[in-house]
Amino acid sequence: MPTQNTDITEVDRSQPILHQHGYEIQQYGSLRDLPIVLNPSTRSESCVLVNQILADTIILYHLYKKHHWLMRGHTFYQLHLLLDKHASEQIELIDALGERVQTLGGVAIADPRHVAEVTKIKRPPNGVEEVPVMLSRLLEAHELIIGELRVAIDKTAANQDSGTNDLLVSQVLRTNETQVWFLAEHLVDTPLVRS
């Protein structure tokens, strides 16, 4: 009959080690060497560009969630659902952007306090704005991000960083442009029952 090992060290191995403290093993803005055949200056520039877009995309995501909760009026249901759908799409972009920075050997911006320091998107009031103002605020955030994207797309193409370029064009830019179209159509003043 097998005997159980009652050695205290074996029992301790299954316990979580709590309250650990240490030091940063990679500082924000630094690069690790990864064998992806891109020179360090290209990877560094791409990390800076992508981290700015990431910071602003994180803020845009939170604006979408805030406005999703605060929608009012006769289009409440449609906009409530639309803004939640857009927020879900933005969270996917956030993950893809963060993972790209890591793939380049950088450190993805993530802490909300750091994001708030870096973002270029204007902070909204803490309370509720009128629906057209909330939609306009979302469109302005998209416009800022799309402008950053176009600059980053040109630079990553010139640097032959095809992986970053493909992500920015095929996922991030196209998603933002489509969301702008859907939002902007809600700000067209057309009568519902007559022409």
Side-chain angles (χ1 to χ4, degrees):
M1 180 172 182
T3 59
Q4 286 187 333
N5 185 349
T6 57
D7 185 357
I8 192 76
T9 59
E10 292 298 320
V11 172
D12 288 343
R13 285 188 194 171
S14 70
Q15 297 301 314
I17 302 169
L18 304 175
H19 308 291
Q20 296 189 44
H21 301 280
Y23 55 90
E24 284 184 331
I25 59 173
Q26 183 182 358
Q27 291 184 339
Y28 182 81
S30 68
L31 284 178
R32 294 184 309 142
D33 283 330
L34 294 175
I36 61 171
V37 195
L38 279 176
N39 68 54
S41 63
T42 294
R43 292 187 297 118
S44 180
E45 182 175 24
S46 290
C47 285
V48 169
L49 294 166
V50 174
N51 264 328
Q52 183 63 59
I53 294 164
L54 176 56
D56 293 329
T57 301
I58 290 169
I59 296 298
L60 177 59
Y61 163 77
H62 287 287
L63 281 176
Y64 265 116
K65 289 307 287 187
K66 176 182 181 179
H67 297 337
H68 155 79
W69 296 320
L70 302 180
M71 274 298 119
R72 300 188 177 181
H74 69 280
T75 59
F76 164 81
Y77 184 70
Q78 295 88 344
L79 286 173
H80 182 74
L81 295 179
L82 178 66
L83 299 188
D84 202 36
K85 177 183 181 293
H86 284 196
S88 296
E89 293 167 354
Q90 288 294 322
I91 204 81
E92 289 179 20
L93 296 179
I94 288 167
D95 194 50
L97 290 164
E99 288 179 356
R100 184 62 192 169
V101 172
Q102 296 304 126
T103 301
L104 292 165
V107 176
I109 192 165
D111 185 276
R113 295 163 298 185
H114 191 192
V115 169
E117 292 169 1
V118 171
T119 188
K120 295 178 182 176
I121 295 175
K122 184 179 171 187
R123 182 178 174 172
N126 293 332
V128 180
E129 295 176 290
E130 293 178 353
V131 171
V133 175
M134 287 189 277
L135 296 179
S136 291
R137 185 175 296 284
L138 290 167
L139 286 169
E140 289 166 9
H142 275 291
E143 184 177 19
L144 184 143
I145 291 169
I146 289 170
E148 292 170 347
L149 280 165
R150 295 195 189 287
V151 169
I153 287 166
D154 289 345
K155 287 184 178 180
T156 55
N159 290 339
Q160 297 180 341
D161 180 358
S162 302
T164 302
N165 189 271
D166 179 60
L167 168 68
L168 297 178
V169 173
S170 65
Q171 291 180 353
V172 186
L173 179 63
R174 288 185 182 156
T175 298
N176 277 275
E177 286 178 338
T178 301
Q179 289 182 351
V180 164
W181 172 40
F182 274 72
L183 288 176
E185 293 302 331
H186 285 274
L187 293 175
V188 175
D189 187 17
T190 55
L192 295 173
V193 294
R194 63 177 170 77
S195 61

